[in-house]
Amino acid sequence: MKFLLSIITVLMFVIPISAQTISPNLDQLSKIQLFPAIQELREVLSIPNNASFPEHVEANVQWSEQAFQKRGFSTQRIHTDGPPLVLAVYNSPGAEKTVLVYLQIDGQPVDASEWDQENPYTPVLKQQKDGVWETIAWGDDVEYYEDEQRIFARSASDAKGPVIMFLAAWDIMQTLNDNPNYNVKVIMDFEEELGSPHLPQAVIDNQELLESDMLVIYDGPRHISNQPTLTFGARGITTVTLELFGPRVPQHSGHYGNYVPNPAFRLSQLLASMKNEQGRVLIPGYYDGVEITSEALEILKQVPDDEEDIRRKIGIASNDAVAGSLQEALQYPSLNIRGLRSGWVRENVRTIIPSSAIAELDIRLVPETDGERLVQLLKEHIQSQGYHILDNRVPTEEERATYDKLISFRYRKSYAAFRTEYDTDIGVWLNKAMNSAFGHDPIRIRIAGGSIPISPFVTTLGIPAVLVPTVNPDNNQHSPNENIRIGNLKDGIKTYLAILLEDL
């Protein structure tokens, strides 16, 4: 900290610090703060954060409270029927507006056997050599760290990395004896990876407490080019579980093959009836209400996607033809098979006719579509294929004797989509801050393909929302070997500092 103070003193002597003159020093200030940020990130990544375990939640709640309190925020827990939310508040002198910031603290479950390190909750530093990531020692000062090095741990990017970026930016601002010219409320979510099931009611119950002028979400990866990005919306999500029933118990495929209908084949045929070979959903009315205007198309074309490079990185020769480009495709609701199960495979394979087949689906929603309506269309399509639908249960003996085709149907609507126009106050303000940080406009994305639980804030509080993504797009979020690039950690600090210092 003494080194930080001395460098900042020199900077202040050379160039008077203010929101207007800080821009030339953002790179230096962010680099100076990088080392303590890495130290704090290592600390918080070492706290397991699977929201299914109450002890994980409590440990992360306590860390969050302490981290914000020592920086001058007042904190309080917002109790729900599940894990609490934590609200941290900082009131700036003379501020007329309030910005609500959303941060996610929990992470996806881990399977340590799939990670290239002993413990996914023990962060390691790696550097790539000849295409292979090799573990290296942690450095003793900021000069040791290079942009292309990466920190590997669960939630390194999704989303404890952005939490540390925000705190590091706040530390720099405080060292400069500066304040944002707006009040800051930070809401911390500890069950985002479970779909934030208790968030909508919590927002309804605490509208006055959460009252703000706009919402900034510090989450998500930058554009695939890893250039500075603003994202003005996100698709919503609804999930569906189908279980198609065959014989009461698995049957010998030699004794009963060609006689007992195979539920795996039937489920495959049912799923295939939902889409054509080009990837378009065939269910009547599925895309109703979605219209891409010429103005919207021009906005989408401004995103510099190299689709040939995207396909190469993903490992596919061609893409679905739902729309003319990746960005245009994201403007439509999707229907995805996210998992299939029937019988046994690999070393456990056996010659049987399975007793059932299960498909897990997800539907990504856009602002023009309603999840309940799409679920109903899906259900009607299944009925049109001759199925008797059971509401999330196994069939009775009478139903097995009566109906030729039996399927269980369960769904859950997690959250809706949202989209904010580019020329709103929040869009103009954030774009100006990004210009201060990087000297040019960011890539502006109309709507992200993924889903985050933001719609309750937008609809209940009546405020616009924009995402400020900062992590590297190849971070393996939700997967083994999740990581954050050191260069993105540094750029994230710079991004959030520019936003804190940009007058609203």
Side-chain angles (χ1 to χ4, degrees):
M1 182 59 73
K2 289 182 179 179
F3 176 70
L4 172 62
L5 288 170
S6 64
I7 293 295
I8 289 176
T9 301
V10 171
L11 291 172
M12 292 177 70
F13 178 77
V14 175
I15 301 175
I17 300 296
S18 71
Q20 286 70 40
T21 62
I22 190 69
S23 300
N25 300 313
L26 288 176
D27 282 316
Q28 299 100 309
L29 293 170
S30 300
K31 181 178 180 180
I32 293 165
Q33 194 63 28
L34 179 63
F35 182 69
I38 290 172
Q39 299 299 97
E40 191 165 21
L41 180 57
R42 290 174 62 187
E43 173 191 318
V44 70
L45 289 176
S46 299
I47 305 173
N49 64 338
N50 185 333
S52 297
F53 297 96
E55 64 273 21
H56 288 198
V57 173
E58 179 60 25
N60 283 276
V61 166
Q62 290 186 20
W63 182 91
S64 300
E65 290 171 331
Q66 293 167 8
F68 279 85
Q69 287 169 6
K70 73 180 183 181
R71 290 170 168 91
F73 286 78
S74 62
T75 66
Q76 67 179 94
R77 298 190 186 194
I78 297 177
H79 294 285
T80 74
D81 290 336
L85 299 162
V86 171
L87 177 67
V89 178
Y90 186 92
N91 292 318
S92 292
E96 296 181 357
K97 293 187 177 181
T98 299
V99 174
L100 182 63
V101 172
Y102 174 89
L103 295 173
Q104 172 200 341
I105 311 295
D106 66 312
Q108 283 280 316
V110 298
D111 179 355
S113 67
E114 297 293 323
W115 286 66
D116 297 329
Q117 62 198 70
E118 185 174 345
N119 185 345
Y121 294 122
T122 300
V124 297
L125 183 68
K126 294 188 179 185
Q127 189 164 294
Q128 199 170 50
K129 183 178 180 181
D130 299 328
V132 178
W133 287 103
E134 296 182 349
T135 302
I136 60 176
W138 294 99
D140 295 328
D141 58 57
V142 69
E143 297 301 331
Y144 176 84
Y145 292 93
E146 301 174 2
D147 284 354
E148 297 306 321
Q149 295 168 346
R150 299 193 184 196
I151 299 171
F152 284 74
R154 172 55 82 224
S155 298
S157 278
D158 186 19
K160 286 183 175 179
V163 174
I164 295 302
M165 294 173 194
F166 178 82
L167 294 175
W170 192 272
D171 289 341
I172 297 172
M173 183 191 64
Q174 286 194 315
T175 307
L176 299 173
N177 294 317
D178 210 338
N179 283 295
N181 80 327
Y182 51 88
N183 300 317
V184 179
K185 294 180 179 179
V186 181
I187 190 74
M188 284 163 272
D189 189 348
F190 298 87
E191 57 172 353
E192 194 273 350
E193 299 296 356
L194 298 182
S196 301
H198 302 98
L199 182 63
Q201 190 61 48
V203 176
I204 292 172
D205 294 341
N206 295 276
Q207 292 184 56
E208 186 175 345
L209 188 64
L210 298 172
E211 184 179 4
S212 306
D213 295 286
M214 57 189 67
L215 171 64
V216 179
I217 306 110
Y218 290 140
D219 192 11
R222 284 172 162 183
H223 179 259
I224 195 169
S225 64
N226 200 25
Q227 295 301 306
T229 305
L230 290 177
T231 304
F232 286 76
R235 294 196 289 186
I237 186 169
T238 292
T239 58
V240 177
T241 301
L242 303 176
E243 183 170 11
L244 195 152
F245 298 99
R248 189 181 301 103
V249 295
Q251 298 295 319
H252 192 293
S253 64
H255 298 329
Y256 291 104
N258 295 338
Y259 183 80
V260 172
N262 187 307
F265 270 113
R266 282 191 166 180
L267 181 60
S268 299
Q269 293 158 354
L270 175 62
L271 295 173
S273 74
M274 298 176 185
K275 276 190 173 185
N276 64 17
E277 290 188 5
Q278 289 71 46
R280 287 188 63 86
V281 177
L282 297 172
I283 299 172
Y286 200 83
Y287 298 124
D288 285 0
V290 181
E291 180 182 356
I292 311 298
T293 64
S294 57
E295 291 82 6
L297 279 174
E298 287 304 311
I299 289 173
L300 299 177
K301 289 178 182 177
Q302 294 172 15
V303 180
D305 286 338
D306 182 340
E307 302 212 13
E308 183 177 343
D309 184 58
I310 292 172
R311 290 191 294 269
R312 180 183 60 79
K313 288 180 177 177
I314 294 173
I316 57 174
S318 61
N319 52 273
D320 281 348
V322 175
S325 67
L326 170 60
Q327 294 302 319
E328 188 179 349
L330 297 180
Q331 313 307 308
Y332 291 88
S334 70
L335 177 61
N336 177 58
I337 302 171
R338 60 178 182 157
L340 290 169
R341 191 182 76 187
S342 188
W344 292 265
V345 298
R346 294 180 176 168
E347 64 274 9
N348 296 315
V349 68
R350 56 199 70 179
T351 50
I352 54 91
I353 299 168
S355 59
S356 72
I358 298 173
E360 298 284 359
L361 312 180
D362 63 62
I363 298 171
R364 299 286 178 168
L365 310 171
V366 295
E368 293 82 5
T369 58
D370 174 67
E372 295 285 348
R373 175 178 170 274
L374 293 188
V375 166
Q376 184 59 35
L377 290 177
L378 177 63
K379 185 177 287 190
E380 290 171 1
H381 175 78
I382 293 172
Q383 289 174 324
S384 74
Q385 302 299 303
Y387 283 90
H388 179 71
I389 295 179
L390 309 171
D391 290 329
N392 190 29
R393 63 180 177 84
V394 299
T396 64
E397 290 302 311
E398 182 179 357
E399 287 167 331
R400 284 185 178 277
T402 304
Y403 300 103
D404 178 47
K405 294 182 175 181
L406 288 165
I407 192 168
S408 170
F409 190 103
R410 181 178 82 245
Y411 80 98
R412 176 185 168 205
K413 182 178 178 181
S414 294
Y415 27 84
F418 78 94
R419 187 171 61 233
T420 300
E421 299 303 320
Y422 288 0
D423 58 357
T424 54
D425 287 347
I426 185 174
V428 172
W429 169 60
L430 290 174
N431 197 75
K432 188 176 179 182
M434 297 288 273
N435 256 288
S436 296
F438 299 100
H440 57 81
D441 284 343
I443 295 171
R444 296 186 295 179
I445 295 176
R446 188 172 186 245
I447 194 167
S451 304
I452 53 176
I454 297 306
S455 58
F457 297 103
V458 175
T459 56
T460 303
L461 301 181
I463 57 176
V466 175
L467 289 90
V468 185
T470 52
V471 302
N472 42 295
D474 59 347
N475 66 77
N476 293 338
Q477 67 186 88
H478 291 198
S479 300
N481 302 313
E482 181 180 350
N483 64 84
I484 187 167
R485 178 178 170 270
I486 294 294
N488 283 75
L489 182 61
K490 185 170 59 179
D491 271 0
I493 297 171
K494 180 169 71 169
T495 299
Y496 297 167
L497 178 59
I499 293 171
L500 287 171
L501 297 174
E502 185 66 49
D503 285 349
L504 181 59

